[in-house]
Amino acid sequence: MPDLEPERGLPRVSDDLGDDYILLGDREKYSHTLPDVEVAAVRYYCSHAEVDPEWNPRIQKWARMRLPNGQIVRGSWKEKHKSLEKVRMGRNIKYYNNGLRKQPKFAELQYFFQAKFNGEKKTCAMVSVFSDPDAQILLQSSRALWVCEYRGDDALEVIPAKWISSCVAMPPMNEPPDNLRYVCEKMGLDVASIGGAEEEDNDNFYV
């Protein structure tokens, strides 16, 4: 019996990065310079490359990326301009340094960008990294409760986009809310991934 549901192609504004990572729009039309705090993060990331230490990068921001597990992570760059009822809560991510599955890190995604380092195009993410989890709470909860501090622009870093593992929620730990957040992972993610499930993407036109 033929498959009655036609296979969808990639969105018009997209870039297949390989390994089931797909960069998605929105994308800025023109490249531009960055605020000093973001320039510092980019320079630190490329400090191993042969670039001028005074290099002032110009970039185009990308808003979203589909992960191998089917989730779509969304940068705060685009989300913060939407009304509250239209915001998709996908800006907080879990990632692993160097892609190694040791202790995870958590961050608020700002945006994605692409740049050439030593002649090779790289796809990167600008993120605000949460602090390491509170060791005492982690121990007392038998590693069930991960409480981290949100640090905003003081903790901006650039990471390779493919280090990102999944999207997580980071609700406030206290009332009234302060900078402490606890990690809440999407239940059933592994099962959904095995079954080939994907998060529905209604923000793009497909061709």
Side-chain angles (χ1 to χ4, degrees):
M1 180 178 293
D3 188 354
L4 300 181
E5 183 176 346
E7 183 176 348
R8 296 191 302 180
L10 292 177
R12 266 197 295 273
V13 180
S14 65
D15 189 359
D16 189 340
L17 306 177
D19 302 318
D20 293 323
Y21 287 89
I22 301 174
L23 201 58
L24 301 169
D26 292 330
R27 180 187 63 192
E28 289 182 316
K29 186 174 292 187
Y30 305 106
S31 61
H32 56 84
T33 56
L34 299 172
D36 289 346
V37 66
E38 295 178 17
V39 169
V42 175
R43 286 177 180 168
Y44 182 81
Y45 171 75
C46 65
S47 58
H48 63 283
E50 296 177 2
V51 298
D52 187 331
E54 298 302 316
W55 172 54
N56 193 9
R58 298 178 62 89
I59 66 159
Q60 285 177 290
K61 295 178 183 178
W62 289 71
R64 301 174 298 138
M65 185 173 71
R66 176 168 288 155
L67 304 178
N69 61 25
Q71 288 181 319
I72 295 174
V73 291
R74 294 169 165 85
S76 64
W77 156 65
K78 199 66 179 178
E79 294 291 283
K80 68 183 179 183
H81 297 299
K82 296 181 180 179
S83 59
L84 185 59
E85 63 270 16
K86 292 185 179 180
V87 170
R88 304 289 293 274
M89 299 301 180
R91 67 175 65 176
N92 295 307
I93 59 167
K94 178 170 75 173
Y95 72 95
Y96 294 89
N97 278 332
N98 299 312
L100 301 176
R101 297 274 172 161
K102 295 183 179 179
Q103 179 162 310
K105 305 275 287 183
F106 302 95
E108 180 189 60
L109 174 65
Q110 309 300 303
Y111 56 83
F112 296 99
F113 69 96
Q114 295 180 308
K116 281 191 174 183
F117 301 113
N118 290 341
E120 183 179 358
K121 185 174 80 170
K122 301 285 188 181
T123 302
C124 302
M126 180 73 70
V127 300
S128 174
V129 182
F130 287 89
S131 71
D132 289 337
D134 184 290
Q136 185 174 359
I137 295 176
L138 196 62
L139 180 62
Q140 291 176 345
S141 67
S142 299
R143 299 184 66 83
L145 183 58
W146 294 57
V147 177
C148 308
E149 181 184 5
Y150 176 68
R151 299 179 292 177
D153 286 354
D154 290 338
L156 287 181
E157 292 185 17
V158 172
I159 64 171
K162 288 186 179 182
W163 281 10
I164 299 174
S165 169
S166 64
C167 174
V168 298
M170 300 291 289
M173 183 67 181
N174 301 313
E175 286 292 342
D178 53 20
N179 286 335
L180 292 181
R181 303 285 189 269
Y182 68 93
V183 179
C184 183
E185 300 205 53
K186 187 173 181 179
M187 299 299 292
L189 177 60
D190 291 339
V191 175
S193 181
I194 292 171
E198 286 188 349
E199 179 181 340
E200 190 66 23
D201 178 19
N202 296 318
D203 297 342
N204 257 305
F205 298 98
Y206 286 78
V207 293

